[in-house]
Amino acid sequence: MQRRPDYVLITLTASLLVMGLIILSSASVAISHNQYGSTSRLILNQLFPGVVVGCLGFFFSWRIVPYTFWRKVSLPLLLGTLILLGAVFTDQFGFSAGGARRWIHFKFIFFQPSELAKLAIIVYLAAFFAKFKDNLENFWQTVFPFMLVSAAILGFIALEPDIGTLGVLTMIIGALFFVAGGAWKYISYFIGGGIALFFILIKTTPYRFDRFLVFLHPELDPKGIGYQIQQALLAIGSGGLWGLGLGESRQKYSFLPESVGDSIFAIAAEELGFIGATVLVLLFMFFVLRAFRIAYRAPDLFGRYLAVGIASWIAFQAFINMSAITGLIPLTGITLPFVSYGGSSLALVLTSCGILVNISKYAKS
């Protein structure tokens, strides 16, 4: 029996979207003018296709199809995502920027398959664990296929390379396996393998090793490898309690790298201050708590695991982004959901929020 959708989650989603667009519209002024000669180009790009496609995806996954639809398409969605991840490395469809191959293009369409990979792995594992819930102790029937699929997705992401997305996906996969009731010995193997891969990637790539050194020694080379985190902390500190005012950031004028990407939280703190940054953090916290409430009240295991996966995605990605740019963990390059520039990311996040709302319509009393 269908009930009223979770209007609290809808309100939180809308609040994060509106606040994100306001922050981005201010943070993108300088870089938009420098690259395109128009201060509004980037925010317009975010509105279309990001917001428009995202709102259509939100409506589709909330009102048009029930959440059980995603269980039926879980395998095709996963296989399609793997094909797209592979296409990133082809000369015909993939292209690189900043030393990484993370983007794919079809004529005028540009997007990152790694963003789709987050939703695809959540949907597939939710269906997989719901099917084999009572047989998770069987290594060859359940654990091995689960690890094989996870390794395929994570392997492509590691080759791009995108260590931030790799970390988020690893946490999502681990959270789903834990919630499904996976044996602790396998969970420990998964955690151990993830830590080992993390250090291998750091040791084999100079710029990642430099970022790790800067995390351990923030004062190291402030005009070189430590420049981004030093400028980010300067922006956050300059905001004080109430901020410099919306549109008044100084760091966005070519001082802070990636001011519309992984550094955007620092711009938000500079302009909106501690109060504004706290409001943003609280919105994420309430969103995640509401999403877990939906998971708890989901009518079946697939709905529960699907909601847990989406909630974990938003929670881990937001936590990693804000923690990295405030110096609590090493810089990863991961973007802030709802806020950072990126149409494919925003569209998929909004579509996933629609799935959560749809699950809430079937919630148990």
Side-chain angles (χ1 to χ4, degrees):
M1 183 179 68
Q2 292 191 29
R3 303 178 184 275
R4 289 166 54 114
D6 193 324
Y7 287 111
V8 174
L9 186 80
I10 295 173
T11 302
L12 289 168
T13 300
S15 299
L16 282 166
L17 177 61
V18 171
M19 191 171 185
L21 290 173
I22 291 172
I23 293 170
L24 179 62
S25 66
S26 175
S28 64
V29 169
I31 188 171
S32 183
H33 181 268
N34 291 339
Q35 291 186 1
Y36 302 104
S38 169
T39 57
S40 60
R41 177 65 178 273
L42 288 184
I43 189 63
L44 290 175
N45 288 349
Q46 187 77 338
L47 291 173
F48 184 82
V51 174
V52 173
V53 174
C55 287
L56 289 174
F58 182 87
F59 183 80
F60 174 81
S61 55
W62 167 24
R63 300 295 297 271
I64 305 300
V65 297
Y67 72 92
T68 51
F69 161 82
W70 298 97
R71 186 170 191 168
K72 299 174 183 176
V73 301
S74 59
L75 183 58
L77 181 62
L78 178 73
L79 295 176
T81 300
L82 287 170
I83 292 172
L84 291 174
L85 286 171
V88 166
F89 300 99
T90 66
D91 294 332
Q92 185 177 3
F93 299 113
F95 68 97
S96 61
R101 294 186 69 91
R102 303 174 186 173
W103 293 267
I104 197 170
H105 66 92
F106 297 104
K107 297 185 182 296
F108 300 106
I109 300 175
F110 296 83
F111 67 98
Q112 287 184 265
S114 59
E115 296 297 331
L116 179 60
K118 297 169 188 174
L119 178 58
I121 196 67
I122 289 170
V123 171
Y124 179 80
L125 290 182
F128 182 84
F129 289 143
K131 181 179 180 180
F132 294 102
K133 168 64 178 176
D134 298 325
N135 203 22
L136 286 178
E137 293 292 333
N138 189 311
F139 179 82
W140 291 109
Q141 185 175 356
T142 56
V143 179
F144 180 74
F146 150 68
M147 289 186 170
L148 192 64
V149 169
S150 301
I153 291 284
L154 296 177
F156 276 120
I157 303 299
L159 290 173
E160 289 185 357
D162 187 349
I163 193 170
T165 299
L166 184 69
V168 171
L169 279 169
T170 302
M171 292 178 180
I172 292 170
I173 293 168
L176 281 170
F177 189 55
F178 173 76
V179 171
W184 275 105
K185 63 179 179 180
Y186 298 132
I187 293 175
S188 65
Y189 297 157
F190 190 80
I191 294 174
I195 293 174
L197 179 61
F198 174 76
F199 280 104
I200 290 172
L201 289 172
I202 287 178
K203 289 290 290 182
T204 56
T205 310
Y207 79 89
R208 293 198 195 101
F209 185 68
D210 290 341
R211 283 184 172 184
F212 191 68
L213 283 179
V214 168
F215 169 69
L216 297 176
H217 305 283
E219 75 286 352
L220 184 65
D221 195 11
K223 294 185 178 181
I225 58 174
Y227 181 78
Q228 183 175 359
I229 189 62
Q230 291 295 330
Q231 294 299 313
L233 295 176
L234 179 61
I236 295 169
S238 300
L241 184 62
W242 296 103
L244 301 178
L246 189 64
E248 299 300 318
S249 166
R250 294 186 289 265
Q251 291 300 105
K252 67 186 178 185
Y253 290 100
S254 303
F255 292 106
L256 178 60
E258 297 296 329
S259 59
V260 298
D262 56 298
S263 298
I264 200 166
F265 182 72
I267 301 296
E270 184 184 13
E271 295 193 342
L272 305 178
F274 176 79
I275 300 298
T278 300
V279 169
L280 182 59
V281 171
L282 288 175
L283 283 175
F284 276 112
M285 288 179 60
F286 291 142
F287 177 94
V288 171
L289 289 173
R290 199 72 186 183
F292 277 119
R293 180 178 182 271
I294 291 171
Y296 178 75
R297 301 179 64 199
D300 57 19
L301 287 176
F302 175 70
R304 176 171 299 172
Y305 298 154
L306 189 57
V308 166
I310 295 171
S312 300
W313 169 12
I314 304 300
F316 289 138
Q317 187 159 332
F319 172 78
I320 290 174
N321 174 274
M322 292 185 285
S323 297
I325 211 62
T326 52
L328 298 178
I329 63 174
L331 283 171
T332 60
I334 200 75
T335 55
L336 185 60
F338 295 102
V339 184
S340 293
Y341 180 70
S344 54
S345 173
L346 182 59
L348 286 161
V349 165
L350 289 174
T351 300
S352 300
C353 292
I355 296 174
L356 284 174
V357 176
N358 187 267
I359 296 172
S360 73
K361 290 168 56 178
Y362 300 89
K364 294 183 294 186
S365 301

